[in-house]
Amino acid sequence: MSLLFDYVTTSPTTILGAVFLLLLLYVVSRSFSSERSSNEPPGPRPLPLLGNLLQLDLKRPYKTLCELSEKYGSVFTVYLGTDKVVVLAGYKAVKEALVSCAEEFGDRHISPIFHDINQGHGILFANGESWKEMRRFALSTMRDFGMGKRLVENKILEECQFLMQMMEQHKGKPFDTACPMNYATSNIISSIVYGSRFEYDDPRFQKLVRRANENIRLAGSASIQVYNMFPRLVRWIKNRQLIVTNAENTIRDVKDLILQLKETLTPHSCRGLVDCFLDRKQKEEQTVKDTYYHERNLIFMITNLFAAGTDTTASTLRWGLLLMAKYPHIQDQVQEELSTVVGNRQVQIDDRKNLPYTDAVIHETQRLANIVPMAIPHKTSRNITFQGYFIKQGTVVFPLLTSVLYDESEWESPHTFNPSHFLDKEGKFIRRDAFLPFSAGRRACLGESLAKMELFLFFTTLLQRFRFTPAPGVAEDDLDLTSSVGFTLTPSPHELCAVSRL
Ligand code: HEM
């Protein structure tokens, strides 16, 4: 110790180095605190360079942010490294920002990992005119292909049969619900995008689904959060390499699928969204300079629709089945209502209005499952004074959807599975303002009506046919409702039995 002390006191280089480091820390910390002194949202004091990193649970940042909102209120600031983030918490703040100030809060923050794999193209991680055009095109084309209407209803009902066959093969024995649910939801988007579904045993399809899910899981890992904060320092980390390789392989497959469609394209007869895009691309190439209808936008629109639409819907359905196995008395009530109202015939979307309890269970599943806990990060498109605080243009914004879906001033029992949240005293279904699992405003989920239709038809058809129970030897109480770590919240790995009711 004394030797060390001697060395420290006698080495001029060390002293100079220490003085320099202290000065640097001082300057950076001054710059943080001087920014705070103007009228900006409050927040925990950041450390130089690290920001509030040490205070955050990087695997479940939404939890720490909810806790911080109790101390700092509904609009507060945290620093992820040196990146400043404004967090919006609770129904009122989130709704006011995303709906009443939709323009100002409507840009997407594109973190380094999503920039690496999308390069500003497509819908999810794009901004400006290109985003606007691609979003408009995807929405109107998906509507033309029946999103929210009978055409898609039939596709979902057809897919239900394949899904049930796959579950039937397990003959009531325990199985992991992940693959069947992901294949079924992915096939709905496939039929809208490509014009046809895939066979569940098609190796290319299996890989496309696996890679999309793996990337969503890896994108939420702690090491990717660190990469997003310090992209130049930790480019080499394993999870980034895995994500990039998965994305490259998927792009290769998608290009191949586009090529097959191109070779069989008939003018004026679109089988799916890809055909419509190619048609438009051909027209615009001749008439519009710098058209947005180019191949990169097509590729990333496709990968975005799959990434955003497969895992979210499949995970919600898996949560639904898990909750039914955990709370058999609620499953009893759903099945009773289905038997009385629908009987043995195929469920249809029109039945929803006569199935208030089942509808409430699906909504409550979405609320509690909280699939996208912090929405997808936004960015302010211009300076704004919001709830008395000044927020600069280009500031990253987290609309903390968890704090809306679990808002104590909006929900009677926010942390328990309680379908009564969506029922009035007479047992009729009621909408709730704070039900925002699809977010709101300019960036709200583009597939909301499709997802709602899928959730209703898949869930009811499965419950009509099967009784879902824990694996033998596992008590209902032991079914774990802790979610896996990832960009979206999926159930932890588990197995259920689907026992035929026929
Ligand atoms: C239960 C199912 C789903 C949930 C809970 C969900 C939720 C969300 C959320 C929270 C966002 C981010 C909104 C924001 O940034 O404020 C989002 C965006 C998006 N979702 Fe969904 N989603 C679901 C299903 C789907 C489906 C089936 C599709 C497509 C067919 C889809 C396509 C998209 C797209 C393209 C975006 C990006 C919108 C943009 O940036 O303009 N989603 N979704």
Side-chain angles (χ1 to χ4, degrees):
M1 181 69 197
S2 72
L3 256 180
L4 179 70
F5 188 73
D6 283 348
Y7 180 76
V8 169
T9 48
T10 52
S11 160
T13 335
T14 311
I15 293 171
L16 266 177
V19 169
F20 178 73
L21 196 67
L22 281 172
L23 262 175
L24 185 74
L25 291 181
Y26 176 73
V27 170
V28 181
S29 92
R30 287 279 301 179
S31 74
F32 272 119
S33 50
S34 62
E35 266 189 80
R36 277 296 162 77
S37 60
S38 58
N39 192 24
E40 294 189 354
R45 199 179 169 73
L47 286 172
L49 301 176
L50 292 178
N52 301 109
L53 210 58
L54 304 181
Q55 282 153 286
L56 286 181
D57 174 354
L58 279 186
K59 288 185 176 165
R60 299 180 198 279
Y62 59 94
K63 281 201 168 161
T64 326
L65 295 178
C66 282
E67 284 157 23
L68 288 173
S69 76
E70 283 167 24
K71 181 161 178 203
Y72 295 102
S74 55
V75 186
F76 64 96
T77 310
V78 287
Y79 282 85
L80 302 182
T82 54
D83 294 336
K84 176 179 172 163
V85 176
V86 168
V87 182
L88 305 169
Y91 168 65
K92 287 200 170 70
V94 170
K95 177 84 189 285
E96 190 184 334
L98 300 189
V99 178
S100 309
C101 312
E103 278 294 311
E104 289 86 347
F105 285 98
D107 269 4
R108 178 71 74 220
H109 165 61
I110 305 172
S111 58
I113 192 65
F114 291 125
H115 188 267
D116 290 347
I117 54 177
N118 291 274
Q119 289 141 34
H121 302 303
I123 307 171
L124 269 170
F125 300 103
N127 280 314
E129 284 306 310
S130 179
W131 161 75
K132 216 182 257 173
E133 189 60 38
M134 291 302 108
R135 181 173 166 111
R136 206 172 21 219
F137 173 85
L139 254 178
S140 69
T141 314
M142 284 166 67
R143 283 201 191 114
D144 290 347
F145 280 101
M147 183 169 81
K149 291 186 265 178
R150 181 76 12 115
L151 210 63
V152 162
E153 176 174 6
N154 290 340
K155 287 196 166 133
I156 301 171
L157 293 177
E158 184 196 336
E159 199 61 43
C160 279
Q161 300 306 318
F162 292 104
L163 175 63
M164 287 192 299
Q165 268 171 29
M166 197 179 184
M167 290 195 172
E168 201 72 72
Q169 281 166 12
H170 297 281
K171 299 193 163 58
K173 302 241 167 63
F175 67 98
D176 186 341
T177 53
C179 261
M181 296 317 303
N182 276 293
Y183 289 171
T185 54
S186 188
N187 255 341
I188 302 305
I189 303 167
S190 299
S191 25
I192 295 175
V193 168
Y194 298 118
S196 58
R197 65 181 293 280
F198 292 93
E199 294 301 329
Y200 290 167
D201 58 3
D202 177 341
R204 179 161 62 182
F205 176 60
Q206 293 180 343
K207 281 188 203 144
L208 281 167
V209 174
R210 185 186 54 71
R211 288 191 218 113
N213 287 350
E214 197 171 275
N215 272 7
I216 291 172
R217 190 175 52 75
L218 293 170
S221 64
S223 63
I224 291 296
Q225 310 313 310
V226 175
Y227 168 66
N228 284 337
M229 290 173 224
F230 308 105
R232 294 215 181 107
L233 288 180
V234 290
R235 265 185 99 69
W236 41 267
I237 54 164
K238 189 171 142 230
N239 281 356
R240 178 181 175 273
Q241 295 309 331
L242 286 172
I243 290 179
V244 170
T245 310
N246 275 341
E248 285 168 355
N249 288 335
T250 289
I251 289 170
R252 192 201 53 227
D253 282 348
V254 167
K255 276 186 174 167
D256 213 39
L257 288 162
I258 296 174
L259 193 66
Q260 283 174 23
L261 288 170
K262 244 186 204 165
E263 284 166 355
T264 51
L265 194 68
T266 349
H268 315 301
S269 125
C270 289
R271 290 158 294 186
L273 179 140
V274 172
D275 284 6
C276 297
F277 192 102
L278 291 171
D279 202 37
R280 182 79 175 256
K281 178 170 174 279
Q282 208 175 23
K283 281 185 193 132
E284 293 223 346
E285 272 166 357
Q286 290 150 10
T287 53
V288 183
K289 195 171 163 270
D290 299 329
T291 170
Y292 295 120
Y293 291 85
H294 47 69
E295 198 185 23
R296 280 152 301 151
N297 259 340
L298 174 57
I299 292 170
F300 292 107
M301 182 187 291
I302 297 174
T303 54
N304 286 177
L305 290 175
F306 275 83
T310 299
D311 169 89
T312 44
T313 319
S315 296
T316 309
L317 285 163
R318 292 181 64 216
W319 279 116
L321 301 185
L322 181 61
L323 287 161
M324 290 304 94
K326 189 166 180 73
Y327 302 113
H329 61 288
I330 297 183
Q331 186 172 184
D332 285 341
Q333 275 175 268
V334 171
Q335 286 174 334
E336 219 172 276
E337 190 180 61
L338 281 168
S339 300
T340 317
V341 177
V342 186
N344 288 331
R345 71 164 164 81
Q346 172 71 64
V347 185
Q348 292 164 357
I349 208 74
D350 284 346
D351 291 319
R352 193 202 308 248
K353 56 183 182 303
N354 301 319
L355 295 165
Y357 187 79
T358 307
D359 207 8
V361 165
I362 297 172
H363 279 75
E364 180 66 353
T365 300
Q366 277 204 274
R367 186 193 70 77
L368 196 73
N370 179 33
I371 293 291
V372 198
M374 305 195 291
I376 305 172
H378 288 223
K379 189 175 74 174
T380 43
S381 60
R382 57 178 91 123
N383 290 346
I384 179 169
T385 299
F386 182 73
Q387 296 198 347
Y389 297 116
F390 176 72
I391 307 172
K392 244 189 3 212
Q393 174 182 4
T395 304
V396 181
V397 175
F398 286 177
L400 195 55
L401 295 184
T402 313
S403 68
V404 181
L405 297 173
Y406 294 179
D407 189 331
E408 295 194 351
S409 55
E410 296 287 333
W411 305 99
E412 293 70 33
S413 56
H415 300 283
T416 50
F417 184 62
N418 176 9
S420 304
H421 282 138
F422 294 91
L423 293 168
D424 69 8
K425 288 203 180 74
E426 280 86 50
K428 289 206 195 87
F429 179 82
I430 43 168
R431 292 184 191 287
R432 300 292 300 262
D433 290 341
F435 179 72
L436 289 186
F438 298 100
S439 191
R442 252 176 125 215
R443 286 287 181 164
C445 177
L446 180 149
E448 176 171 349
S449 60
L450 177 64
K452 282 184 163 163
M453 208 180 216
E454 288 187 53
L455 293 179
F456 178 76
L457 293 173
F458 280 128
F459 184 76
T460 49
T461 309
L462 286 176
L463 280 170
Q464 227 185 352
R465 170 71 82 88
F466 300 108
R467 177 87 187 165
F468 289 90
T469 63
V474 178
E476 281 125 17
D477 283 349
D478 293 338
L479 286 177
D480 184 9
L481 296 185
T482 319
S483 52
S484 285
V485 172
F487 193 72
T488 57
L489 301 184
T490 50
S492 302
H494 65 277
E495 291 191 330
L496 293 180
C497 302
V499 183
S500 181
R501 299 177 69 219
L502 294 182

